[in-house]
Each structure stands twice: as C-alpha cells, then as structure tokens.
Amino acid sequence: MVKITDVARRAGVSPSTVSYALSGKRPISDETRRRVQAAVRELGYRAHVRARGGTGAGARVLALSVPLRSGVHVPVVTQFAVSVVTAARAHGHDVLLLTRDEGEEGVGRVAEAGLADALVVMDVQLQDPRLPLLRSSPLPSVLIGVPAEPDGLTCVDLDFGAAGELCVEHLARLGHRTVALVGSPPEVYVRRTAFARRLVRGFTAAADRHRLSSAVHPCGADRGAARALAERLLREQPAPTGVVVHNEPLLDPLTDAFEQLGLRIPADLSLVAVCPAPVAASARVPLTSVTVPAAELGTRAVHLLVQKLSGAPVPQVTLLPPRLTERASTGPRPV
Amino acid sequence: MVKITDVARRAGVSPSTVSYALSGKRPISDETRRRVQAAVRELGYRAHVRARGGTGAGARVLALSVPLRSGVHVPVVTQFAVSVVTAARAHGHDVLLLTRDEGEEGVGRVAEAGLADALVVMDVQLQDPRLPLLRSSPLPSVLIGVPAEPDGLTCVDLDFGAAGELCVEHLARLGHRTVALVGSPPEVYVRRTAFARRLVRGFTAAADRHRLSSAVHPCGADRGAARALAERLLREQPAPTGVVVHNEPLLDPLTDAFEQLGLRIPADLSLVAVCPAPVAASARVPLTSVTVPAAELGTRAVHLLVQKLSGAPVPQVTLLPPRLTERASTGPRPV
DNA sequence: GAGGTTCGTCGAAGCGCTTCGACGGGTGAA
DNA sequence: TTCACCCGTCGAAGCGCTTCGACGAACCTC
C-alpha cells in the first residue's frame, strides 16, 4: 500500500505539503503541485479513508436508506438508487446501502460510527420513524419524499399533488365527466406513505374543481386484482371513462383486463399513468403519463446533500413540477 | 460523540482494557467485562470506524459490485443485492454499493482506500475485466457467478449447466422430441456472461444425449421480439413442442404470443422457465421452472466471505444443484 | 517459602492522515 | 537599507482506536 510519505519522498517534499497540494487548503506553488501530482499518478496513491483525522474531511461516503417495503415497485426504486450512486460518484462519494430494518437502527449506527458523512432517505412516510433520528443527528440528510412535518429537514420530491391535478385536468379537457384513480396496494396507504396520499388529494381536489365525479381505488398488483377491479369499475353508475393509474406493476394487467372486457383504449376508455417515463413508454399500450423523474430526483438529492456538506443553505422542500406526456392511451370521452 | 476514554472512565478502567473487553482478544475478568459492558450500554458507545488503527480489525464493511448492465432483469439483481445486505448485517457488516463503471475502477478504489474489507462481485462474465484486480488484490472476494478461469478465486453459483440439462430431461421424459432454448438478449452472449453460456452448453449436451433436435435463440425482452420469435419457432420444421426460457422479462410476453398464435399451454406447447421461484409462480400462467435461488446465493456468498475473513479455507467453486418445480406449463408431447 | 506461571490490567506506541504554528526568504513600502 | 508582510513549506501534534510489552498479584509446585 502506497502512503502519503511515499508520495512526499518521491516529490521531494514533506507529507504535509502533499496533503495541502491535494486538498488545496493552503497555497502551494504550481511547480510543487505539479511534482506532487506526478508522484501521485506514478505511484497510484490514494488517501486511506480510515486514516483521515478526527476533524475535517469526512469519509466521502454517503448512506442510502431504502426500506424495500412490500408494494413498492422494485425497478423504480432501483432506478432511484442507481441515480443516487451515479451522482454521488460524480461528487467523489461512495454509497453505503441500508435496507429494511436497518432503516431505523441503521441511521443511528451509521451516524455514530462515522461510517458515512451524509444520508439520503428514500420511501418516506408521512410519519416516518426515521425522522426523529434525522432531526437530532449531526449528519446532514436529504429525504426523497416529503413527510407530514418537514420542518428542520431537507426534502426533494415530485409534486404529487400537482401531478394528480394534471392528470384530472388532462382528462377534463378531453371531455371526461367521470374519472377514477387506481392507486397503490392498500398497505401503502395504511403506512401513510407520503407521495401516495398527496396524489390522491390532488386528484380529488381537481376533480371537485372541475365538477367531475370521481372515486379512488387502492389495488393490489396481481392479475386477479386487476381483473376484479376492472369489472367493478365498469359496473359503477356512471362508469368512469378516464382512469388514472398510480401503480406500476398493475399497468399491463389492468390494460389487459379492460381489453378482455371488450373496451378499446382509448376509444372507450382513457388511461393516464403516473410512473417513470420508460415504464409508460414500454407498456403494452404506450401510456399517456405524468412522469416520475426518478433519476432526476436521485441526482437532485445528492446535489442538495453536497451543498449542505459544503455549508451552503438549501431550501427545505424542493418540489419538481409534473409534466404530462401524451401517448396512445388517452382520447376524447366516448359519445 | 462518546469515545472509548469516556467508557473507560465510567467503568473505572483504562481505554485498552475497554478495547480488550469488547474485542475479547485478551482475557478480562468477568467482573470488569460486566462493568465495561454496562458503561457501553449506558453511554451508547460505538467504536468509530475510521479510528480503528492501521492493522487489525477492518472497517466491517463489504463492497458489492453490481454492474447493472442492459439485459439483466432488475428485480432479480435487486433480490441478490438485498440478500447480500441482509446476510452482511447478520454478520455485523455494512455494504457499500458499487455500480456500473465503478465495477472496474471501483474495485481498485475500494481496496486501496480501505473503504471495505471484503468484496462481493455480481454478474460475472467469462472474461471479466475485474478478475485481474481481484486476483492481485489483498482484499478477499467472492464472486456470484463462475468465470472461465476460476483459479485463485472463490465463486458461488447455481449449476447452470445442470439446470440446462434438467430442463431438457424433464421435457424428454414427457416425450418431447424437439426442444428450443429461448435465452437472454444477444448482448448478454456477446459479453460472454458466464451463466448464460453454461446453461446453453448443458441444454445442448442433454438434448444431444437424448437425441432431441434442439435450437438456441437469444431474444430481446420486448413484446415485439417475443411475437416475432414465437412465429419463427412455429414455422420451423419440425416445430419445437418444448421450450425452455431463460429470460425473465420475456416470460409473460412469450406466453401471450404463443396463445395469440392459437397454442394452448401446456396442451400444445410446454414451457420451462429458468428463473427465481417467485417470478415463475406469479407469471400469467404458473410456469414449471428450474429455480435460480437468488437469495440463497447472496447469503452463501457472504458466508464464504466471512469464512475467508476469519482465515478459514473455502472451496474454490460452490455450485448449488438445480431443482425443478412442476407447475402448470408443462405436459406430455401433443400427439 | 522461593521460584516460576498465569491472569488481568495498564501505559505507551503507532496507524496514516490532517492541521496548526512556525519559519525562511522574497517582496514592497518607507 | 530596514522593517513589515505574505507566500510556500516544514515539523510536530493529534484524531480515536488497537496492540505490544510490561508489571503486579495471585496461584502453583517442589
């Protein structure tokens, strides 16, 4: 293992000069800096994390808390995680993965043991058990998702309320008078997951504003549930002609179910998805959708964290505005 | 932050005694140990990782290298990753996540910077660019997957060769005479991913042994590709009556395509999947499958790594025997 | 009861790095 | 020319922990 003294010897300077040349925390002449950099390159030197002294520069590791709960769509979560890792690397940080039960206990462990020097928290619930820890911890953190009480925290999310409204407005503009929202599995609402609730609120508010009749149906993610729900929706009086789906794994099965019941999409029924763009575009029927910008949210979270680490002030809540992309699944209300 | 001297003061002993009482590396009287443990509990002490001296106990972090390449099925990879994290936690380790490009450069960085003290490597290719680094690195590692030259490495995997044979034997026993293997997308073979190749070899060998006519078809994972492939298979002379599918995202689309072409499963066509059990069981038609035991592989890998860390010898290659589970998608050859 | 063990504990050294205080040698102002 | 000052560099201290060597005290053994 090559250490700082090796580099110093090769560059003909003292170890502290090497340290300063690399960190830039004190002025170093161009000439010396060049020699140090050359030595670093030739020797393949890399500072040993666990030796960076008590104060000052951290481990350059950030922890990512992803409680992989049931009812969350794995590919979407993974997309978040990957974008966080990529963005973190771009800032010279590595990522420590905390899952499940680690969610709560892990946050404390990571903070106290100095394993990481910042924290990204995913799948935030309205009342999240991790919040007290986050507020009291000296570790800077950013949440992807907005809890009920965001005071003292930093959060990024899609504006799910506005997303719900946008879906309804799109359908209202197409003349639909009765709309339904097919949501996440019931356990997601029971957990009071933040984004799911916000979407419902936006959806309902916009429907009321436009005087549409509306209903909300949580739904499990299997084919049987899709079929049962489709039948139930068609039995309603009046039956919805515009359906918003916020449940990624259900998209294809629900499309199938409607078609098997004899409905053509979008001639007889319009479908709007709330999901990441690739999911909507590669569905069996390309779906008009409000995009959940998973990758951008991950990147944003890391940027905010880096800001905080450098001492810069950051906004408490960052909500990205929703964007609707029309594809093949929506059309005018059937006559 | 509470440090070891705080604990020592409270327990009325010296810091070194606390260290020994906690690590057990020297005999400590029961009485003293109890006092130390009490002090630790009362103060909520946790050893600061980055302070553990140069030699000796590591960071208790292991790195997980997951190059999320195209053509790999995200939920499956995630299942691996989660099982690795869970198993690692059970052994008191945390997990550092390395993705993509980090795959190669990341391995070196992690080793040299002392970020992790062991390494789990996923999605191994026959000639993997990470191998030279692994062989030369002092960092112990375990691969999930077996490369062409496993000398000097430690690998765990499902015995994909035997898995391929098992599929063919099942179909042969049911009287099928013509079989096909639908594999991963072409890029997976081009990359020479280890497990994909092994499956093909086992499949072909068993087919030859049973004097079945056989063919192998790589296939992309979208609906269009599924439809095209189904049509092509049916045009062959003779057309296969038993199809092995080793491509998770293609399972449902391919089933659909066959049924749309008028084939009933399993009356007209038998389908065997090679995939994790939950995927096979929750497919549109429950599929007879050879299980890829993702969770067990992750757990095994961590166990092996812990063994290596403790200096125990470990086998070079651990292959788990495949198991076939009959579900609704296979039956006797149509007459 | 003297000498040899073993047990339990302590102090000090050291890990590789960062950072603080100091210091020599230019440079600019008076 | 002298003094003050700043720039660039160095040596030493210190981070929180582990580990080595040492040392009293109790326990055997002849």
Side-chain angles (χ1 to χ4, degrees), chain A residues 79-113:
Chain A
Q79 212 185 327
F80 275 101
V82 170
S83 72
V84 166
V85 172
T86 307
R89 283 304 308 143
H91 289 280
H93 284 73
D94 276 287
V95 173
L96 201 68
L97 189 59
L98 305 176
T99 58
R100 186 74 65 170
D101 27 42
E102 291 306 299
E104 279 122 282
E105 197 258 328
V107 169
R109 190 160 40 82
V110 158
E112 308 222 345

Side-chain angles (χ1 to χ4, degrees), chain B residues 14 17 26 29 32 53:
Chain B
S14 79
T17 302
R26 278 202 186 173
S29 68
T32 305

Side-chain angles (χ1 to χ4, degrees), chain A residues 12-14 16-17 20 26-29 32 53-54:
Chain A
V13 295
S14 79
S16 50
T17 302
Y20 287 124
R26 279 203 187 174
I28 294 288
S29 69
T32 305

Side-chain angles (χ1 to χ4, degrees), chain A residues 156-170:
Chain A
V156 218
D157 207 352
L158 173 66
D159 188 339
F160 275 96
E165 299 184 19
L166 192 53
C167 294
V168 171
E169 271 148 24
H170 177 69

